[in-house]
Amino acid sequence: MADASVPSVDISSSKPDRLPTTVEKPTPYTYDLAYLAATDPNPLPSTSTLLSQSYADRNTTLQTLARDGAQSLLNTLLTTCSITSTPDGLVMSLPPPVTNLPRWKPLPKPKAPTKWELFARKKGIGKYAGNLHGGAALEDRKKNLVYDEESGEWVKKWGYKGKNKAAENEWLVELDDDKAAKESEGKNVRTEGRKERVDRIKRQERRQRNNERRNRKGKVG
């Protein structure tokens, strides 16, 4: 038997009314979906109208406007953006932005050139090659370069990592008649070039020491 002291409650009446998912405005919204932004070009109620309302009514008016904007944005996202399923869940791909946002910080100031950059610009060397004498410095540098087909870059003919040293580290090298003759004489063509360079360096150092010795003798005399 039911207790007459407990009032009955209508559950259906306690639920709020479901608002429509379609939003109609005199002037359509504009969107920037990349930033999840919807702009309402329709004018807001006047200040006097809002102030004439009670606090609850004023909040209801503003909440309704905000809700319409969010609902319209959500409708546009679901109807225009692609959604894919991934192991981490559903992923929505947003389009590129339309609005250019202003920078938060000012543009960085250019760095002052270093002493080396000032010197290189003055002499026309490094990345400043070709700035002097109508590009003559750059042309002089190109004379010392050769195109490497394997790397697709221009490399130095001689010196550190020069093209002339490439065959020394290869496991198989091509022998012309002169190199084949040297091999028959018991010479190793791989190390022959290195030995010749070392000998040239030693001869150059001896000549330099002899020149310095003669210059010192000339100054003493």
Side-chain angles (χ1 to χ4, degrees):
M1 183 175 180
D3 188 359
S5 62
V6 179
S8 61
V9 178
D10 186 3
I11 300 178
S12 61
S13 63
S14 63
K15 293 183 178 180
D17 295 336
R18 294 177 62 89
L19 297 176
T21 58
T22 58
V23 179
E24 295 182 0
K25 291 285 183 176
T27 305
Y29 288 92
T30 58
Y31 304 96
D32 196 338
L33 300 182
Y35 298 126
L36 302 179
T39 303
D40 186 359
N42 300 282
L44 292 171
S46 63
T47 304
S48 59
T49 302
L50 292 175
L51 293 178
S52 64
Q53 297 175 344
S54 64
Y55 179 79
D57 292 341
R58 186 162 58 248
N59 274 354
T60 300
T61 301
L62 297 177
Q63 288 175 1
T64 301
L65 293 173
R67 179 264 167 196
D68 290 345
Q71 182 66 59
S72 179
L73 174 62
L74 182 60
N75 293 344
T76 306
L77 288 170
L78 294 177
T79 55
T80 60
C81 298
S82 61
I83 301 177
T84 56
S85 179
T86 66
D88 297 330
L90 297 178
V91 176
M92 176 179 289
S93 299
L94 300 178
V98 177
T99 307
N100 293 325
L101 298 180
R103 288 180 61 91
W104 177 44
K105 294 183 178 181
L107 291 173
K109 296 181 180 180
K111 295 182 179 180
T114 62
K115 291 184 178 180
W116 163 250
E117 290 176 338
L118 294 175
F119 176 78
R121 185 184 291 115
K122 181 179 179 181
K123 297 297 183 180
I125 58 178
K127 63 180 180 181
Y128 303 102
N131 294 340
L132 299 177
H133 310 297
L138 181 60
E139 293 299 326
D140 291 341
R141 286 190 62 203
K142 286 185 176 179
K143 292 179 182 179
N144 297 326
L145 300 178
V146 63
Y147 185 74
D148 186 7
E149 296 182 357
E150 293 184 2
S151 61
E153 298 178 353
W154 290 88
V155 298
K156 291 187 290 186
K157 295 180 181 178
W158 306 282
Y160 179 67
K161 293 185 179 180
K163 183 67 174 177
N164 61 322
K165 300 179 182 179
E168 296 179 359
N169 299 323
E170 296 292 338
W171 69 275
L172 180 65
V173 294
E174 181 180 358
L175 297 181
D176 54 19
D177 294 338
D178 294 337
K179 292 181 179 179
K182 291 181 180 180
E183 286 284 341
S184 62
E185 295 174 1
K187 297 180 180 180
N188 189 343
V189 296
R190 295 178 184 274
T191 59
E192 190 68 21
R194 185 184 299 110
K195 183 176 181 300
E196 291 178 357
R197 285 198 305 275
V198 173
D199 292 342
R200 285 198 302 270
I201 293 174
K202 289 182 178 180
R203 288 195 298 270
Q204 177 63 28
E205 291 176 349
R206 284 197 298 269
R207 285 194 295 267
Q208 184 176 354
R209 288 195 297 269
N210 292 335
N211 292 334
E212 293 175 353
R213 191 179 301 111
R214 283 194 296 268
N215 291 334
R216 286 197 296 269
K217 289 182 180 179
K219 289 180 181 180
V220 173

